Amino acid sequence: MIKRRSHALTIAGALVIGLIAGSLSFGPISLFAKTVQTTAAVPQYKINENGQTYGSGMYAPDSLSLPDLILADGDNGVQGYIKKADINNDLPKNPTEALEWNKKLESAPAYREVPLYDFDGVTVVGSFKIFNPLAEDSKEIVNKLLNNAGVEDVE
C-alpha cells in the first residue's frame, strides 16, 4: 500500500513538473512565433516605368505586401504578371457584404479569367484563370482532383 501511494505521488509530481516545464518552454516559443509573424520583412520588388511594383508574391508575408503585378504562369504557358487589383476586386468590407459576396460567388463560374501582362503592366501577353471554390460546378473539379490524388469525394 505504501509503495502504491509512493508510486502515485511520484507520477503526480512528474505531471506537475511536466506542466510547469511545458508552460515555461512554450511561453517563449509562442512569443517568438508571434514576433516572427509580425516582423516578417516585405520583399523589395522591382518598379516598372509606370511606377508599379512587380515580382513573385511567394515571400510576401500577407496580401497587403504583394506587388502591384504578381508573377504568374498563364493558360497558354506564357509567364507574365497579374494585377493585384484584378485578384482583390470587390472584396467585402463587412459581414453583410461578405454574405452577399459568397452568394454571388456560388452562382458564378468555377473560373474567372483575368489578363496576364508583361512587366510593364500594359502589354497583355495572355490570360490567367482564378479558381472560384464556392461555385456549384467547382465541386466536380475538386472531386476530380481529389480522386486523382486517391482521396474520396467531398460532399
Side-chain angles (χ1 to χ4, degrees), residues 8-20:
L9 287 173
T10 303
I11 292 173
L15 286 173
V16 169
I17 291 171
L19 287 171
I20 292 170

Side-chain angles (χ1 to χ4, degrees), residues 62-117:
D62 53 50
S63 61
L64 297 174
S65 303
L66 289 168
D68 299 320
L69 301 168
I70 305 163
L71 186 64
D73 290 327
D75 298 329
N76 56 2
V78 172
Q79 196 172 62
Y81 298 88
I82 54 175
K83 290 185 177 180
K84 179 169 60 173
D86 287 344
I87 296 174
N88 295 332
N89 66 349
D90 73 340
L91 288 177
K93 294 169 186 58
N94 59 54
T96 304
E97 286 183 10
L99 291 172
E100 293 170 8
W101 191 63
N102 280 349
K103 286 180 186 174
K104 185 173 99 175
L105 287 177
E106 288 171 358
S107 61
Y111 290 97
R112 176 170 60 97
E113 198 169 293
V114 295
L116 187 71
Y117 297 93

Side-chain angles (χ1 to χ4, degrees), residues 48-54 68-70 80-83 86 115-125:
N48 66 17
E49 59 189 34
N50 296 316
Q52 297 167 305
T53 55
Y54 66 97
D68 299 320
L69 301 168
I70 305 163
Y81 298 88
I82 54 175
K83 290 185 177 180
D86 287 344
L116 187 71
Y117 297 93
D118 196 4
F119 76 96
D120 64 6
V122 176
T123 307
V124 176
V125 295

